[in-house]
Short mmCIF file of all heavy atoms in Angstrom, two decimals:
data_model
loop_
_atom_site.label_atom_id
_atom_site.label_comp_id
_atom_site.label_asym_id
_atom_site.label_seq_id
_atom_site.Cartn_x
_atom_site.Cartn_y
_atom_site.Cartn_z
N HIS K 48 -5.26 17.31 -16.93
CA HIS K 48 -5.38 18.09 -18.18
C HIS K 48 -5.92 17.18 -19.27
O HIS K 48 -5.19 16.35 -19.82
CB HIS K 48 -4.01 18.66 -18.56
CG HIS K 48 -3.99 19.50 -19.81
ND1 HIS K 48 -3.26 20.67 -19.91
CD2 HIS K 48 -4.58 19.35 -21.03
CE1 HIS K 48 -3.40 21.20 -21.11
NE2 HIS K 48 -4.20 20.40 -21.82
N HIS K 50 -8.95 17.08 -22.74
CA HIS K 50 -9.98 17.69 -23.59
C HIS K 50 -10.96 16.56 -23.94
O HIS K 50 -11.29 16.37 -25.11
CB HIS K 50 -9.36 18.26 -24.87
CG HIS K 50 -8.26 19.26 -24.64
ND1 HIS K 50 -8.44 20.61 -24.78
CD2 HIS K 50 -6.95 19.11 -24.26
CE1 HIS K 50 -7.29 21.26 -24.52
NE2 HIS K 50 -6.37 20.36 -24.21
N ARG K 57 -10.34 12.79 -36.23
CA ARG K 57 -9.37 13.57 -37.02
C ARG K 57 -8.31 12.62 -37.60
O ARG K 57 -7.14 12.96 -37.69
CB ARG K 57 -8.75 14.66 -36.14
CG ARG K 57 -9.83 15.56 -35.53
CD ARG K 57 -9.56 17.02 -35.46
NE ARG K 57 -8.26 17.48 -35.11
CZ ARG K 57 -7.95 18.13 -33.98
NH1 ARG K 57 -8.88 18.38 -33.07
NH2 ARG K 57 -6.73 18.56 -33.78
N TYR K 70 1.35 20.86 -37.76
CA TYR K 70 0.13 21.05 -36.97
C TYR K 70 -0.46 22.44 -37.17
O TYR K 70 -1.66 22.60 -37.36
CB TYR K 70 0.47 20.80 -35.50
CG TYR K 70 -0.68 20.96 -34.52
CD1 TYR K 70 -1.78 20.08 -34.54
CD2 TYR K 70 -0.66 21.95 -33.54
CE1 TYR K 70 -2.81 20.22 -33.63
CE2 TYR K 70 -1.69 22.10 -32.63
CZ TYR K 70 -2.76 21.22 -32.67
OH TYR K 70 -3.78 21.36 -31.77
N GLY K 79 -7.54 20.81 -37.47
CA GLY K 79 -7.21 21.00 -36.07
C GLY K 79 -8.43 21.29 -35.19
O GLY K 79 -9.51 20.74 -35.41
N ILE K 80 -8.23 22.18 -34.24
CA ILE K 80 -9.25 22.49 -33.24
C ILE K 80 -10.57 22.90 -33.91
O ILE K 80 -11.66 22.49 -33.51
CB ILE K 80 -8.73 23.62 -32.32
CG1 ILE K 80 -7.52 23.12 -31.51
CG2 ILE K 80 -9.82 24.15 -31.41
CD1 ILE K 80 -6.70 24.21 -30.84
N THR K 83 -12.71 19.98 -35.03
CA THR K 83 -13.47 19.36 -33.93
C THR K 83 -14.63 20.27 -33.54
O THR K 83 -15.72 19.79 -33.19
CB THR K 83 -12.55 19.06 -32.74
OG1 THR K 83 -11.56 18.12 -33.16
CG2 THR K 83 -13.33 18.45 -31.57
N TYR K 120 -13.88 23.27 -27.37
CA TYR K 120 -14.13 22.86 -28.76
C TYR K 120 -15.45 23.43 -29.26
O TYR K 120 -15.87 23.14 -30.37
CB TYR K 120 -14.14 21.34 -28.88
CG TYR K 120 -12.77 20.70 -28.84
CD1 TYR K 120 -12.49 19.69 -27.93
CD2 TYR K 120 -11.77 21.10 -29.71
CE1 TYR K 120 -11.24 19.10 -27.89
CE2 TYR K 120 -10.51 20.52 -29.68
CZ TYR K 120 -10.25 19.52 -28.76
OH TYR K 120 -9.02 18.93 -28.72
N HIS K 154 -9.31 29.11 -27.16
CA HIS K 154 -8.60 27.93 -27.68
C HIS K 154 -8.19 28.16 -29.12
O HIS K 154 -7.06 27.92 -29.50
CB HIS K 154 -9.50 26.70 -27.53
CG HIS K 154 -8.78 25.38 -27.60
ND1 HIS K 154 -9.45 24.19 -27.75
CD2 HIS K 154 -7.47 25.07 -27.54
CE1 HIS K 154 -8.56 23.20 -27.78
NE2 HIS K 154 -7.35 23.71 -27.66
N TYR K 186 -5.31 29.40 -24.23
CA TYR K 186 -4.16 28.89 -24.98
C TYR K 186 -3.31 30.09 -25.37
O TYR K 186 -3.66 30.86 -26.27
CB TYR K 186 -4.71 28.13 -26.18
CG TYR K 186 -3.72 27.43 -27.08
CD1 TYR K 186 -2.40 27.16 -26.68
CD2 TYR K 186 -4.12 26.99 -28.34
CE1 TYR K 186 -1.54 26.50 -27.52
CE2 TYR K 186 -3.25 26.32 -29.18
CZ TYR K 186 -1.96 26.08 -28.77
OH TYR K 186 -1.11 25.42 -29.60
N HIS K 214 -2.66 27.00 -20.96
CA HIS K 214 -1.76 26.36 -21.94
C HIS K 214 -0.67 27.38 -22.29
O HIS K 214 -0.99 28.43 -22.87
CB HIS K 214 -2.51 26.05 -23.24
CG HIS K 214 -3.42 24.86 -23.20
ND1 HIS K 214 -4.60 24.83 -22.50
CD2 HIS K 214 -3.32 23.65 -23.81
CE1 HIS K 214 -5.20 23.66 -22.69
NE2 HIS K 214 -4.44 22.91 -23.48
N GLN K 217 3.76 25.99 -25.62
CA GLN K 217 3.78 24.72 -26.38
C GLN K 217 4.65 24.85 -27.63
O GLN K 217 5.41 23.94 -27.95
CB GLN K 217 2.35 24.31 -26.76
CG GLN K 217 2.28 22.92 -27.41
CD GLN K 217 0.87 22.52 -27.83
OE1 GLN K 217 -0.01 23.37 -28.00
NE2 GLN K 217 0.65 21.23 -28.00
N HIS K 237 2.05 22.42 -20.53
CA HIS K 237 2.92 22.25 -21.72
C HIS K 237 4.36 22.68 -21.37
O HIS K 237 5.19 21.83 -21.13
CB HIS K 237 2.43 23.02 -22.95
CG HIS K 237 1.28 22.35 -23.65
ND1 HIS K 237 1.40 21.16 -24.30
CD2 HIS K 237 -0.01 22.73 -23.78
CE1 HIS K 237 0.24 20.82 -24.81
NE2 HIS K 237 -0.64 21.74 -24.50
N LEU K 259 3.01 17.31 -20.48
CA LEU K 259 2.12 16.59 -21.39
C LEU K 259 2.97 15.87 -22.44
O LEU K 259 3.02 16.28 -23.62
CB LEU K 259 1.14 17.60 -22.03
CG LEU K 259 0.32 18.40 -21.00
CD1 LEU K 259 -0.38 19.58 -21.65
CD2 LEU K 259 -0.70 17.51 -20.29
N ALA K 262 1.66 14.79 -26.04
CA ALA K 262 1.52 15.86 -27.04
C ALA K 262 2.88 16.22 -27.63
O ALA K 262 3.01 16.35 -28.86
CB ALA K 262 0.87 17.09 -26.42
N ASP K 288 -3.45 15.00 -21.57
CA ASP K 288 -3.85 15.95 -22.60
C ASP K 288 -4.86 15.34 -23.58
O ASP K 288 -5.08 15.88 -24.67
CB ASP K 288 -2.63 16.49 -23.37
CG ASP K 288 -2.92 17.79 -24.13
OD1 ASP K 288 -3.97 18.39 -23.90
OD2 ASP K 288 -2.07 18.20 -24.96
N ASN K 290 -6.86 14.36 -26.32
CA ASN K 290 -7.56 15.19 -27.30
C ASN K 290 -7.41 14.57 -28.68
O ASN K 290 -6.53 13.73 -28.89
CB ASN K 290 -7.04 16.65 -27.24
CG ASN K 290 -5.70 16.85 -27.90
OD1 ASN K 290 -5.54 16.67 -29.11
ND2 ASN K 290 -4.69 17.23 -27.12
N PRO K 291 -8.28 14.92 -29.61
CA PRO K 291 -8.26 14.25 -30.92
C PRO K 291 -7.15 14.72 -31.85
O PRO K 291 -7.00 14.19 -32.96
CB PRO K 291 -9.63 14.60 -31.49
CG PRO K 291 -9.96 15.92 -30.88
CD PRO K 291 -9.37 15.90 -29.49
N GLY K 292 -6.36 15.70 -31.42
CA GLY K 292 -5.33 16.24 -32.31
C GLY K 292 -3.93 15.83 -31.89
O GLY K 292 -3.29 14.97 -32.51
N THR K 293 -3.46 16.43 -30.79
CA THR K 293 -2.05 16.26 -30.43
C THR K 293 -1.80 15.12 -29.45
O THR K 293 -0.65 14.74 -29.26
CB THR K 293 -1.52 17.56 -29.79
OG1 THR K 293 -2.34 17.85 -28.65
CG2 THR K 293 -1.56 18.71 -30.77
O1 NIG M 401 -3.32 20.76 -25.54
N1 NIG M 401 -2.72 23.31 -27.56
C1 NIG M 401 -3.90 23.34 -27.75
N2 NIG M 401 -4.80 22.41 -27.42
C2 NIG M 401 -4.61 21.02 -27.46
C3 NIG M 401 -4.73 20.49 -28.83
C4 NIG M 401 -6.12 20.41 -29.22
C5 NIG M 401 -6.38 19.84 -30.60
O2 NIG M 401 -5.50 19.75 -31.47
O3 NIG M 401 -7.53 19.47 -30.77
C6 NIG M 401 -3.33 20.62 -26.76
O4 NIG M 401 -2.34 20.15 -27.33
#
Side-chain angles (χ1 to χ4, degrees):
H48 181 139
H50 304 257
R57 304 220 320 247
Y70 179 66
I80 295 165
T83 298
Y120 284 126
H154 198 193
Y186 184 16
H214 283 71
Q217 187 182 21
H237 283 292
L259 304 167
D288 199 12
N290 76 64
T293 57

